[in-house]
């Protein structure tokens, strides 16, 4: 009824090599001018203190095939992943990945932008800290937002209490709040991709008015 989905897939997949093989088979999309952003994250079984190793392996593997790379620290379905959004943990992770990106750019003669994907469940202080980190490290952009763990908007509906990340209509306003906070903190010109609850053209326009430069959709494709 709320035009929402709950997914608890996590990052289950056949591994990096299989992922890259799928992307390579879709090369004609990029050849026609399509923009491909590839999303990387740590394995669920990898403790956070070794998360950077997973991200580095993924960055090395996808770099040649991406127009931009998304550093995902906000999936609610991978154990402890969202803790990487904390100030010190995020600074450490991004610093290492930026340094590795610069090495790959020198090797391959092509600089691939790095975007950070964050959660909608952050408070104003957390968003401000993330924005400060993005500016200090000169990351290329931010994606706001991933799915939510909140169930306030779907309370009492069938399946509402199931585990996983909630997407679709209920994420529209929380995502827009984060986008507005980011835009105020980051100023004009810093790329923001808005995601969450886009079910119509008017919703996409609202994302742009909140401060997004680009808009992504997923759940809206299913309902509308």
């Amino acid at each position: 009824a709320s035009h929402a989905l709950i997914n608890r897939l996590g990052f289950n997949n056949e591994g990096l090599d299989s992922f890259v093989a799928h992307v390579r088979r879709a090369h004609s999309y990029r050849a026609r001018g399509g923009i491909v952003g590839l999303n990387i994250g740590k394995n669920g079984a990898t403790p956070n203190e070794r998360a950077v190793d997973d991200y580095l392996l993924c960055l090395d593997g996808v770099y040649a095939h991406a127009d931009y790379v998304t550093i995902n620290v906000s999936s609610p379905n991978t154990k402890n992943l969202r803790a990487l959004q904390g100030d010190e943990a995020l600074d450490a992770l991004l610093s290492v990945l930026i340094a590795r990106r610069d090495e790959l750019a020198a090797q391959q003669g092509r600089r691939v932008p790095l975007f950070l994907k964050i959660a909608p469940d952050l408070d104003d202080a957390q968003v401000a800290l993330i924005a400060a980190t993005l500016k200090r490290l000169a990351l290329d952009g931010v994606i706001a937002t991933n799915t939510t763990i909140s169930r306030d908007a779907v309370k009492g509906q069938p399946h509402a209490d199931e585990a996983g990340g909630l997407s679709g209509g209920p994420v529209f306003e929380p995502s827009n709040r984060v986008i507005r906070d980011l835009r105020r903190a980051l100023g004009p010109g810093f790329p923001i991709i808005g995601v969450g609850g886009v079910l119509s053209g008017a919703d996409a326009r609202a994302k742009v008015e909140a401060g997004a430069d680009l808009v992504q959709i997923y759940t809206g494709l299913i309902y509308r």
Side-chain angles (χ1 to χ4, degrees):
S2 297
H3 291 148
L5 297 176
I6 293 174
N7 92 76
R8 48 181 170 270
L9 297 172
F11 292 154
N12 299 326
N13 61 84
E14 295 179 335
L16 179 62
D17 292 342
S18 178
F19 175 53
V20 170
H22 289 313
V23 174
R24 289 172 68 95
R25 282 198 293 275
H27 65 89
S28 62
Y29 175 73
R30 288 182 72 199
R32 297 194 306 271
I35 297 172
V36 176
L38 300 182
N39 183 93
I40 61 174
K42 79 175 186 74
N43 288 328
T46 302
N48 278 11
E49 55 268 26
R50 295 212 313 271
V52 67
D53 297 334
D54 285 4
Y55 282 95
L56 285 169
L57 282 170
C58 289
L59 182 60
D60 287 351
V62 305
Y63 191 87
H65 311 287
D67 294 305
Y68 68 94
V69 174
T70 299
I71 302 163
N72 190 335
V73 292
S74 52
S75 168
N77 297 315
T78 300
K79 186 179 179 181
N80 296 327
L81 184 75
R82 287 188 167 195
L84 295 174
Q85 294 176 117
D87 192 27
E88 292 182 9
L90 185 62
D91 194 294
L93 175 65
L94 294 182
S95 295
V96 171
L97 291 177
I98 289 169
R100 182 56 180 155
R101 186 273 309 277
D102 293 344
E103 292 174 359
L104 291 166
Q107 292 169 10
Q108 300 186 23
R110 175 175 166 269
R111 183 185 181 280
V112 175
L114 298 179
F115 277 62
L116 180 72
K117 187 172 186 179
I118 64 174
D121 307 308
L122 302 164
D123 61 31
D124 292 348
Q126 291 172 312
V127 174
L129 283 171
I130 289 172
T133 300
L134 294 173
K135 289 176 72 173
R136 184 173 65 255
L137 298 179
L139 204 72
D140 298 287
V142 59
I143 301 178
T145 63
N146 213 316
T147 56
T148 181
I149 57 174
S150 171
R151 294 294 185 270
D152 292 345
V154 294
K155 195 167 291 184
Q157 294 185 35
H159 313 297
D161 293 331
E162 292 189 14
L166 183 74
S167 65
V171 192
F172 181 67
E173 284 301 336
S175 165
N176 287 0
R177 176 189 62 82
V178 173
I179 292 168
R180 284 190 290 268
D181 287 350
L182 286 170
R183 181 55 72 205
R184 279 194 294 269
L186 294 169
F190 192 98
I192 297 174
I193 298 177
V195 198
V198 177
L199 299 167
S200 69
D203 292 341
R205 180 182 292 274
K207 282 274 185 283
V208 173
E209 290 172 349
D213 300 288
L214 298 169
V215 175
Q216 292 178 345
I217 59 174
Y218 184 79
T219 307
L221 294 173
I222 295 169
Y223 283 104
R224 301 287 285 275

